[in-house]
Amino acid sequence: MALYVNGDDFGLGESCTLAVAEALEKGYITGTTMTANGEYFENAVRLAEKRGFTDKIGVHFNLTEGRPLTKEMEKTELFVEDGFFHKRYLKNPRELTDAEANAVYKELSAQAERLKKSGLAVARADSHHYIHTFIHLAPIAARVCLEHDIIRVRINRTFDTPERPRITDGRIANLWWRERGFLTTAHFGRMSDLEEGAVPDDVEIMTHPDYDKNGILIDRTGVEDGFPTGRPLWEITRFFGEKEEKPL
């Protein structure tokens, strides 16, 4: 039986980066994915080298936060305004023009390349706000992954909840990745998705390690008064049981 626990947002900012490193050291997570355009990127690379987990880092594709890495993306209003990514595409996704698709390809390629040039293994990929799973972005993300020998990819959430049942389109999207030869877990979700039942075999759990206002290591699920909020990350250990940690 296998369990993979990822810590998202490595390199995005100082607090979450330090939290990811602590979570790895304590065994709360089994790997992390990194934002190549994060403001703490270079510090994060040095931290990974110092603490010996450069082989546990994948790419966290990002088109929704921070500054883009490429000139093509800087000029693409669909994703960027005043030099920074915005989140409007998440609510109004549409088919891309050729120029927009080329800008996305250039940007995601630059992000993957920045990690590899920094000496990181980059064996898997996921994304900020699930952008790699959007129907018009997935083929571009898949192309970038194949060109950079990235074979493991995160799928859409597979657990039904009263607020958001997992309907046919998500399951079809997951099959789409597998049919193209990518390796995925059978299941994917957050801690909250697993509360009511047994943890299935071959599952990825997504976490966002961070520190709350009291300095407690948490799985960030919100922000209040400028401070991250969430459950203590040590609670993730109850899902391990007899499961074997899944390699990156």
Side-chain angles (χ1 to χ4, degrees):
M1 301 183 76
L3 172 68
Y4 180 78
V5 183
N6 194 71
D8 287 23
D9 297 345
F10 190 55
L12 188 63
E14 181 177 10
S15 179
C16 60
T17 296
L18 296 176
V20 164
E22 181 180 345
L24 276 168
E25 289 179 340
K26 291 185 173 179
Y28 298 158
I29 62 176
T30 56
T32 182
T33 42
M34 188 174 193
T35 51
N37 70 325
E39 62 181 22
Y40 213 68
F41 177 86
E42 293 180 355
N43 302 73
V45 171
R46 289 193 291 269
L47 184 63
E49 291 171 344
K50 181 179 180 180
R51 301 195 183 181
F53 59 87
T54 57
D55 60 336
K56 294 184 178 181
I57 301 174
V59 61
H60 196 59
F61 288 131
N62 184 8
L63 298 175
T64 58
E65 186 172 353
R67 289 184 177 274
L69 298 181
T70 60
K71 293 181 179 179
E72 291 86 353
M73 184 54 71
E74 287 178 354
K75 302 174 183 178
T76 306
E77 296 180 358
L78 184 63
F79 298 99
V80 175
E81 183 175 70
D82 297 327
F84 290 88
F85 284 122
H86 57 71
K87 299 180 178 67
R88 293 195 291 274
Y89 187 84
L90 301 178
K91 294 184 178 180
N92 296 291
R94 63 162 172 80
E95 188 173 359
L96 308 184
T97 65
D98 289 345
E100 290 166 346
N102 181 63
V104 170
Y105 168 71
K106 293 284 190 181
E107 178 65 25
L108 298 188
S109 295
Q111 292 180 14
E113 288 165 9
R114 191 178 189 198
L115 266 68
K116 287 207 164 185
K117 287 179 180 178
S118 297
L120 307 177
V122 199
R124 73 184 306 270
D126 55 36
S127 62
H128 212 39
H129 301 116
Y130 305 96
I131 58 98
H132 77 289
T133 67
F134 280 54
I135 188 171
H136 300 300
L137 302 179
I140 304 173
R143 176 186 173 189
V144 172
C145 286
L146 290 172
E147 290 176 351
H148 291 82
D149 298 318
I150 300 170
I151 61 171
R152 294 187 180 276
V153 177
R154 173 183 290 170
I155 54 176
N156 283 284
R157 289 168 76 173
T158 58
F159 297 94
D160 291 326
T161 65
E163 297 78 15
R164 188 179 178 187
R166 307 298 155 201
I167 54 177
T168 303
D169 57 348
R171 294 184 173 91
I172 291 175
N174 294 343
L175 181 61
W176 184 91
W177 286 96
R178 295 176 186 129
E179 287 179 337
R180 279 149 186 81
F182 290 96
L183 303 179
T184 77
T185 54
H187 307 277
F188 167 67
R190 303 197 67 159
M191 276 201 283
S192 57
D193 292 325
L194 305 175
E195 298 294 346
E196 301 302 325
V199 179
D201 186 24
D202 194 18
V203 60
E204 176 185 352
I205 301 177
M206 173 181 67
T207 68
H208 293 83
D210 214 326
Y211 297 103
D212 67 10
K213 64 181 179 180
N214 297 314
I216 296 172
L217 183 61
I218 61 170
D219 174 18
R220 185 185 70 249
T221 54
V223 177
E224 292 182 6
D225 300 325
F227 292 96
T229 59
R231 298 164 57 178
L233 192 57
W234 63 262
E235 292 184 9
I236 195 77
T237 58
R238 74 181 187 279
F239 296 123
F240 281 81
E242 299 299 322
K243 293 188 182 300
E244 175 187 355
E245 292 183 8
K246 191 177 183 68
L248 182 67

